Amino acid sequence: MSVSQVQLPPGYPREWEADVVLTDGGVARLRPIVPADADLLVAFYERVSPESKYLRFFAPYPRLSIRDVKRFTEVDYVDRVALILTLGDEMIGVGRFDRIETDQAEVAFLVEDAHQGRGIAQLLLEHLAEAARERGIVGFVAEVLPENRRMAQVFADAGYRVSKGIEDGVLSVEFPILPTDTSVGVMERREHRAESASVHRLLHPTRVVIYGRARRVQGMVNAMLRGGFRGEVTAVSSDGTPVAGVPTASSIATVPGRLDLAILSVPTAELGGVVIDAAHKGAHGIVVLTGTDDSPSDNRTVVNLARAYGIRALGPDALGLINTHSEVEMNSTPGPMPRRGGVGLFCQSAAVGVALLNRALRQDLGLSSFISTGDYADVTGNDVMQFWEDDEATRVCLLSLDSIGNPRKFSRIARRLTRRKPVVVIEPGRTSRSSHSGVRGGLAHAPDEAVDALFRQAGVMVVHRRGAMFDIAKIAARQPLPRGSQVRLITNSFTLCQQMVHTLTAVGLLTEEEPVLLHAEAGPEEFVAAARTALADPTCDSVICAAVNVYEEGTEDVIAALDQIAHEGDIPLVGVFLDFHLPLNREDEVDVMGELPRFDAPADAIHALSALTAYAHWRERDPGAVPLLDPDILRAKRVVHRVLSAHPTGRELTDEESAEVLAAYGIPLVRRYPVSSLEEATAVAEHLGWNVVLKATAATVRSRPDQANVHRNLAGADDLAAAWAELNTLVSELGLGGDIGAVGEPVVQAMAPPGVALVVGSREDAAFGPLVSMGLEGIPTELLGDTVYRVPPLTTVDAAAMVRDLKAAPTLFGRHGSPRVHIDGIEDLLHRVAQLADDLPQLASVALGPCVASRSAMSVLGARILTAPTDDRRDPMARTL
């Protein structure tokens, strides 16, 4: 039963509904219970064994009374909460809590015996804890019989600090439910295992059904047979035309036995009954192929229908799945089967999938797996990365993303995956970025450059050509990572040598000594001898052999000889071969570590090697740590919540409110005193003890590059009067008319030590959450785009990189003899802004500037903070799809 089909009770929290992945990779629907679930609950309870009932109620409890059913299904969603897990039309688990004190609640679970061991109790606990925290509950208590080891283990494995005691033969368990590093880590590990298992089941079916019009079904059957699929295939023709080569059935429902995977090529309108039939046959997943001309709403219907019946869905507009593992050898795409190798390849739309597979086939690149999910699929790149992390056959991960469903989760998974395997993403900044649950309305998307920077922060190699993605994969899948930036170039062409040295230098790679220049007619023996010497040299980090031979013999002998030694070193050996001959026929060979990556364009090889060198450096460096700042979070939240209570759509904070929020995070704001007349400005300056600055802050006046709107080091009344007069003249020249006190919005401030003016800020992106940025104030940032970005949490390494990644960074480090500014102060400010933005999603934007970095201090002279209504948490602590 869907809750959309019944009258919902008052206060029903629809935001608690979620699709969840179980530990074995299956899918189920989690939602709050409603009174209309009475029959569902009774049927569920009848299927539960007497033993499980006894362990739940501590006594024989064969059936639920009418009063029991009413009490269990009618809750207030505040003090009494119950969540159920459904699969198709059946309830398979229920968990509940009842408040027993102001901030304490008793929690209990019951899971159908047939579904125990699938992690249902852990999921219910996570979601109940999330709901309880929203209702002001900070701790759970439970009573468990000592023989109920499974439930006792659920609490022990929750990641919270658990205290236990036995009273009257009953184990009493008590634990706080506020998130901790341990509990969050436990949740993320369970999420990883479940989502990895879910994709593993899709890629390892033993019984597959292909359903649709006979012509298309026959093509898919042929692809499966040519690929050498190790399992069983059954064909179902929807138009009654015979299909040859495999057993057939009249419908999915009549296929003998259980199924693992259903490959479908039918319009969305006809999918309902087909999905239900596949679910009843035990299918783990469905693949809805391209060519159905579906709208986004139709695609969402496919996802919702599949999830309701516990099935993972790919498509519509999916190209299919490929698994080259020797025990599977499945090709459920219309294309040829690629050869086995170490490259995992993910894309969304079928059209992009065709382009990617064609390139892999043309370049003879071995794949471990290929997954095309469709544009609006249930399975995402996040799920696939979880699988690749565990998959020993996958050595390098390639993703082409048309949209990013949950970017914050993508970044979290990618940071972990890139510590183990190279990850290459094509143009994430230029994709259409959709947001996961909890999109904040009215928030702008981040600039493309920011998104690229965020992926690089996670160790992801970002490319903007498909060819560049495959170039990196050719090296990463076959060779070790470079040790450093020193490259040994071996070639038999002086002209090519000069060109390649220039390219190496341009991308930041070094040639530690003169390149090895062989004679023009050099053969395999000379190249092998020079390569072996380089591979054994501890000062060499990678080797490029570039051979040119345009005559009859070509370079095939050199390729074969270098291929034999490519496994001998612990640094990469890359080949560039220029001739007029076809490459060696390697159609039947298996792509194993040690094969020689081959290029016919020197620049492509160098750029790929440069990307991998930078990645290897990122992976080996100390990632740093997030500093402990101890801000007064509650103080800042009180200010923000007070503002949003009075202005539900949000507004800009006043100077006083901004100062209080920033002070809560240890960011002192140099106070600004707005003035409207020379007399008022003089009074303020005297109060500050002079040595003040007078500046006009109206946008029209402030935007002048000559900074004529700012007058510094005003030491007395005469200086201030002259500055006031000059600002009046400036207003007149700009054609604004009137006195500066009326149109220029002048302020008086204490003079900060001289230094470099920066702008530091954050913005809440609709999909990515908080983005921290920094640049020099004025033209470098506003017109030249010299701005750097990162995403919280910000480690010490991240903050240091932000400062040094600015093109104008030499200005901060003492350019042309000027003093070096307080770099530690800049980095400290970045950390504080990052934590402020991460803690308070309601801050739509924070702009601090100018922030003057002097030799020994960091002064924040201005702040503009905008608020917008949103939830306190961007991502739920409980696991959801």
Side-chain angles (χ1 to χ4, degrees), residues 1 3 6-10 12 31-41 69-70 72-75 77:
M1 180 199 67
V3 293
V6 301
Q7 181 69 36
L8 296 178
Y12 178 84
R31 61 172 174 82
I33 204 166
V34 295
D37 290 322
D39 292 341
L40 211 62
L41 177 64
V69 173
K70 180 179 176 65
F72 289 150
T73 58
E74 296 181 11
V75 296
Y77 307 112

Side-chain angles (χ1 to χ4, degrees), residues 600-744:
D600 56 15
D604 290 346
I606 292 171
H607 283 282
L609 192 60
S610 172
L612 282 168
T613 300
Y615 164 71
H617 172 71
W618 176 90
R619 199 164 86 167
E620 292 301 321
R621 75 180 187 186
D622 181 355
V626 178
L628 299 176
L629 301 177
D630 195 26
D632 191 344
I633 300 176
L634 292 179
R635 177 185 175 188
K637 283 188 174 182
R638 280 195 294 269
V639 175
V640 174
H641 290 164
R642 185 169 64 241
V643 169
L644 290 174
S645 295
H647 301 84
T649 59
R651 68 163 170 81
E652 183 176 348
L653 299 187
T654 65
D655 285 351
E656 291 76 14
E657 291 165 342
S658 296
E660 185 172 0
V661 169
L662 294 173
Y665 279 79
I667 305 173
L669 184 62
V670 178
R671 185 174 177 182
R672 305 193 310 173
Y673 296 86
V675 295
S676 58
S677 65
L678 176 58
E679 292 74 17
E680 191 175 346
T682 303
V684 170
E686 289 178 347
H687 170 71
L688 295 175
W690 293 101
N691 190 26
V692 298
V693 59
L694 173 70
K695 54 187 175 184
T697 60
T700 306
V701 185
R702 189 180 68 241
S703 61
R704 290 175 61 98
D706 57 6
Q707 293 192 324
N709 64 308
V710 180
H711 291 266
R712 300 177 177 83
N713 301 111
L714 304 179
D718 292 343
D719 290 346
L720 182 60
W724 192 273
E726 289 186 29
L727 288 181
N728 273 325
T729 301
L730 174 63
V731 167
S732 177
E733 290 176 350
L734 293 173
L736 300 177
D739 183 82
I740 184 64
V743 298

Side-chain angles (χ1 to χ4, degrees), residues 210-250:
I210 304 175
Y211 177 93
R213 297 181 64 85
R215 181 174 60 85
R216 183 160 292 182
V217 170
Q218 186 68 69
M220 294 301 300
V221 165
N222 294 342
M224 292 282 278
L225 295 177
R226 284 195 301 267
F229 181 54
R230 301 293 186 179
E232 302 175 23
V233 179
T234 302
V236 177
S237 169
S238 60
D239 57 7
T241 305
V243 176
V246 296
T248 61
S250 58

